[in-house]
Amino acid sequence: MVKSILRIAAYLLVLLSSSIFAREVTDMAGRTVAIPEQVKRVFGSAPPLNVLLHSLAPERMIGLSFKISKPAKKFYSSHLQSLPIIGGAFGFGKSMNPEEVLALKPDLALAWQPPILNYSKTEEAFASIGIPVIFLKLDVLADWPTALRFTGKLLALEERAEARATYIENAVAKLSSSVSALPYNQRLRVYYAEGPDGLATDCHRSLHAETIELAGGYNVYRCDPKDHKGMEKISIEQILAFDPEVIIVQNHAALSTIRDDARWQGISAVKTNRIHAVPRWPYNWLDRPPSLMRALGAQWLANLFYPDRYPLDIKQETQKFYQLFFNVTLSDAETNILLNP
């Protein structure tokens, strides 16, 4: 009965579209989409879209793609903490129920336009409930200023969007002038340890490991990614052969293994204790999801890799970033906990 009512509502929405959808926009996938004149309720249908909306328009979010972890709750407003967990569009964790989305009465949905996934299912899902969907290109960090400005115009939040977009552009420019252009034979060899045992990683060409290259590191796993998901399995023998000088740990469960397991002890990074766990609240600074956090994460890495070439008061920069992007004021003690997980 409920499903029938929702389908009727969707049908009526389509019939009334000429009056409800008062303007047309061209999204970042080149699609022309009719949307309401005013957009007050937005659904972000993938984790990167959650991050974008959390930063730019948290008061307009109607649902989340994933559950908020307990340590991350301090970074979310009471409104965000009260939102239902809807899931995401196909291919991004828990799949959303379109009729559940419709019941929340969004004015439009935002979707990720990934480079190697077919997004026709996402279009069809939202078309079936009469909700316009806008695709944003959010793959590499350099995509985010354009996406922020586009979304800011969409939501009439241009000033907010410009401040965030400008920060990211300035960070990328600073990285480029300081470390990104380092010749490969002068770069530190870096292994990106993923998974609970540290035996998964991502290719240097993967968006999941982009920050290592931005920060002037040499990702020892040189390849083209097999798929969009990444986290490719690797053996300890391969890592020993690569002999990285620095290990960046994405899953903190792997820290004790890397430090204590005898198999890892011959690696240069372990011998010199250059093993660093990625800060991860409210979102991982490097990846999972790949988001605007990379603007801070890449600077954190650059300073770890080359403190003389990229001097940075990381505590001060972290506090500045969280104030700008999430309207959160961090104390020194809170910042220390965040930076030293």
Side-chain angles (χ1 to χ4, degrees):
M1 180 66 178
V2 174
K3 288 185 177 181
S4 297
I5 292 172
L6 288 171
R7 289 194 182 98
I8 292 169
Y11 177 68
L12 290 173
L13 279 173
V14 174
L15 288 178
L16 295 172
S17 64
S18 60
S19 59
I20 295 175
F21 302 141
R23 57 177 169 144
E24 287 189 340
V25 298
T26 301
D27 70 9
M28 295 180 74
R31 301 160 55 255
T32 299
V33 185
I35 66 171
E37 187 63 41
Q38 292 189 325
V39 178
K40 300 297 184 184
R41 297 176 62 80
V42 187
F43 174 59
S45 65
L49 279 310
N50 279 214
V51 183
L52 184 147
L53 288 171
H54 181 179
S55 175
L56 184 60
E59 69 281 0
R60 304 196 194 183
M61 295 178 71
I62 63 166
L64 299 173
S65 294
F66 48 82
K67 185 178 179 181
I68 301 172
S69 300
K70 186 176 179 180
K73 284 188 175 181
K74 70 173 73 175
F75 303 104
Y76 290 79
S77 66
S78 56
H79 165 67
L80 292 179
Q81 291 187 43
S82 72
L83 294 179
I85 310 302
I86 304 300
F90 305 95
F92 303 104
K94 173 191 171 185
S95 291
M96 68 182 193
N97 180 331
E99 291 174 337
E100 188 178 1
V101 176
L102 178 61
L104 296 172
K105 302 178 181 178
D107 295 318
L108 62 78
L110 299 180
W112 187 12
Q113 179 205 338
I116 53 179
L117 285 182
N118 186 324
Y119 50 82
S120 61
K121 284 187 177 181
T122 302
E123 287 185 295
E124 292 167 4
F126 287 111
S128 72
I129 56 174
I131 302 299
V133 58
I134 297 290
F135 282 92
L136 300 180
K137 189 172 187 292
L138 294 171
D139 304 324
V140 297
L141 182 58
D143 293 333
W144 280 77
T146 300
L148 281 162
R149 290 186 176 106
F150 179 92
T151 309
K153 187 174 182 181
L154 202 69
L155 305 181
L157 295 172
E158 289 93 341
E159 188 174 344
R160 283 190 203 175
E162 185 59 35
R164 289 151 178 76
T166 299
Y167 178 96
I168 295 172
E169 287 176 335
N170 288 343
V172 171
K174 184 180 176 184
L175 287 162
S176 179
S177 64
S178 301
V179 295
S180 293
L182 272 173
Y184 282 121
N185 62 0
Q186 296 179 25
R187 294 184 173 209
L188 284 171
R189 301 188 310 279
V190 182
Y191 173 64
Y192 184 31
E194 298 181 274
D197 59 1
L199 296 178
T201 193
D202 274 291
C203 300
H204 77 291
R205 295 186 187 277
S206 169
L207 63 90
H208 295 294
E210 178 198 17
T211 45
I212 292 171
E213 301 284 317
L214 281 175
Y218 181 87
N219 185 342
V220 295
Y221 194 57
R222 315 298 289 180
C223 52
D224 290 311
K226 296 174 183 176
D227 55 40
H228 188 70
K229 295 179 181 179
M231 290 191 72
E232 299 181 14
K233 290 296 182 181
I234 187 171
S235 69
I236 187 65
E237 289 76 20
Q238 286 176 283
I239 302 170
L240 285 163
F242 290 144
D243 193 27
E245 298 166 278
V246 180
I247 295 176
I248 303 300
V249 182
Q250 189 253 5
N251 188 321
H252 295 185
L255 272 173
S256 59
T257 297
I258 294 171
R259 286 175 174 154
D260 302 333
D261 190 319
R263 298 178 303 165
W264 292 79
Q265 301 313 302
I267 297 170
S268 294
V270 179
K271 291 177 181 178
T272 59
N273 198 32
R274 296 197 72 174
I275 308 164
H276 305 283
V278 183
R280 54 180 175 172
W281 308 123
Y283 310 103
N284 190 287
W285 284 17
L286 305 188
D287 187 33
R288 317 286 175 195
S291 75
L292 52 77
M293 298 301 300
R294 289 176 288 187
L296 180 59
Q299 295 184 81
W300 169 71
L301 283 182
N303 180 249
L304 286 177
F305 295 165
Y306 313 107
D308 294 334
R309 184 180 285 270
Y310 201 91
L312 180 71
D313 184 333
I314 187 58
K315 181 187 291 185
Q316 185 179 77
E317 194 66 27
T318 299
Q319 292 170 340
K320 172 185 173 182
F321 184 95
Y322 277 66
Q323 186 67 57
L324 173 62
F325 283 86
F326 301 115
N327 196 31
V328 170
T329 301
L330 289 173
S331 68
D332 286 349
E334 289 170 328
T335 308
N336 286 335
I337 292 171
L338 190 64
L339 291 169
N340 300 284

